[in-house]
Every structure is written in structure tokens, then in C-alpha cells.
Amino acid sequence: MHTQLSTAAVHAEAVHIGTPDETPAMVFGTEIPGKDPITLHLLEAPGDGTLHLSAGVGEADLDSPPEDRAVLPGIDLAWGTGEKPRMVSGYHVRPEEYGWFRRVVAHADAAGLMAFTGGGEPTAQYLSKRQGKRHYEQYTHAGTGIVQDVAYSVHGVDFVGTDHVFRLNGTRVEAFSGIARDLFTDLAAGRVEEYRHKAHALRSDWPAGQWDAKWNGPVSLNQDGSVMAIRVLR
């Protein structure tokens, strides 16, 4: 358990946002004994898990693609103190890079959602060359070029995405992955800022039911506006 926690702590400490040693992170490890109850070990860290930024710091136009920056790795433990630099391994996101970092994270999130719907070109628009933009621009398989080819209503919400049919232990199963139509329209058009505002406003309104009678199968809705639905085909 000590090895597990220490290894996880190293990964958490490898990225610093703002002042070194002030990134809030909770590291945990799970112990599954043979007879005793499951035990969860926690390494507590200061903070409530929220990254607080001063007014005006890190503001950025999320609709603009982030440029490829060659930011040198390394964390200066003496950064901001005026002392001699003390470099250790890791990655440091400094305040002057907050805007760029916000765009990188927001666009990577948008790319993941677009890939979830089965769209290659919409995904590519949110990636840089280093992130594999070229892979989604190239024709690799008929399935990767599918964009907005299927629409379903789940719990009364219209979703747009793609579906796949496969066999599970000999049983034909259909899986649908998509995003709410309004949110998909914004992401497909490159309106990341608008998508994030809408998704944030709707995060507490998404249906919680895990079964949709009309779909006739289990469904999983996420607060980012995405859905995964599975059903058995006759």
C-alpha cells in the first residue's frame, strides 16, 4: 500500500499549476483484503480541489485554437521567491500560461466529445499536430468518416452521434454514443465557449434514469451532455 500511494503521489506532484507545492490533489489507494472490508487509504492535500484564479488571470477565447508551444519541462521549487533556481522533474503551468493551458484543456475535451460521436473531421479541428490532428484528417476506415449519422431520443432528449452493432457472446448488441443535439451543433461549428456555458447550465438537469423504456436498454448520461446507450437486437 505504501508503494502504491507513493507512486500515485509522484504522478500527482509531476504537474504544478501556479505556485509550486500548492496544487490541490487527493491521492488514494484501495486495499481489498481476503475477508475484511474494503479499505480506502487517503493522502490528504490542502485545498478544496478547485483551482482559484484571480480576476482576469487565465482568461482566453476558447474558440481560438491553442498554438503549439515548446514549453520546457521542469519545476523550479524556488520560483517566485527570488532564490536560486532549484529544478526538479515535472511540468509547471505558470500564470502567464493559464490562458493557453485553458484553451488546450478545453479543446482536448471538445475533441474527445467529437470523437465519441464518430466524427473524424470535427475531432481534428480541436487538435494540434502534436496531439494527432493528422490521424483524424486522414481516411483510415469507412467508420471513421461517419459524422452525425444517427439520432435518438433518450429520456426525451434528442442526441446525435453514431452507433455500432457487435456480438456479445453470440448476442447481437447495438451501442449508441452521442451528444445532445444543441450541444453537438455548437461543437461541430467550433463554438467551444458556447458549448461549455450551455453544458454547465444544464449539468443538474440531465435525467438520472439508467433505463430508457423507448430505447429498451440501459443508458448512461453524463453532465457534459453525452450519452452511451446499449440494447439487445432481436
Side-chain angles (χ1 to χ4, degrees):
M1 181 54 58
H2 177 269
T3 301
Q4 183 183 110
L5 289 173
S6 60
T7 302
V10 169
H11 286 290
E13 291 293 334
V15 177
H16 287 271
I17 301 176
T19 305
D21 289 332
E22 291 189 2
T23 303
M26 180 176 288
V27 179
F28 64 91
T30 304
E31 183 179 355
I32 306 179
K35 297 181 180 180
D36 298 330
I38 295 177
T39 305
L40 192 65
H41 300 266
L42 298 176
L43 290 182
E44 186 179 2
D48 60 0
T50 303
L51 176 62
H52 299 281
L53 300 177
S54 303
V57 177
E59 293 183 357
D61 176 14
L62 298 184
D63 293 344
S64 301
E67 64 276 11
D68 271 337
R69 289 190 181 182
V71 181
L72 296 178
I75 301 174
D76 181 7
L77 297 181
W79 179 80
T81 65
E83 300 178 2
K84 183 179 179 181
R86 292 182 289 119
M87 303 300 296
V88 296
S89 300
Y91 188 86
H92 188 189
V93 180
R94 303 189 179 192
E96 60 268 24
E97 298 165 348
Y98 281 170
W100 167 77
F101 188 63
R102 284 192 63 199
R103 294 200 305 274
V104 170
V105 173
H107 279 239
D109 181 52
L113 288 171
M114 286 288 91
F116 191 63
T117 65
E121 293 182 2
T123 302
Q125 69 174 321
Y126 291 118
L127 298 176
S128 67
K129 291 182 178 179
R130 294 185 178 185
Q131 293 173 316
K133 180 184 184 75
R134 185 178 179 182
H135 170 76
Y136 287 93
E137 290 178 329
Q138 292 179 334
Y139 178 85
T140 55
H141 187 272
T144 62
I146 298 174
V147 181
Q148 195 179 348
D149 64 320
V150 176
Y152 286 116
S153 176
V154 178
H155 288 320
V157 180
D158 292 332
F159 288 89
V160 176
T162 188
D163 64 351
H164 297 277
V165 177
F166 57 93
R167 290 188 179 276
L168 186 62
N169 293 330
T171 302
R172 296 178 69 242
V173 177
E174 179 184 13
F176 169 70
S177 58
I179 307 176
R181 184 182 295 276
D182 291 345
L183 300 180
F184 178 90
T185 301
D186 288 328
L187 286 176
R191 296 190 293 267
V192 181
E193 195 82 56
E194 185 68 17
Y195 155 75
R196 295 180 72 86
H197 280 297
K198 288 182 179 179
H200 186 268
L202 294 171
R203 69 190 187 284
S204 60
D205 296 333
W206 295 112
Q210 298 180 350
W211 184 277
D212 184 87
K214 185 177 180 181
W215 167 262
N216 193 29
V219 297
S220 176
L221 285 84
N222 197 293
Q223 289 186 341
D224 61 8
S226 62
V227 65
M228 169 65 78
I230 300 176
R231 64 183 173 184
V232 175
L233 294 179
R234 293 185 182 275

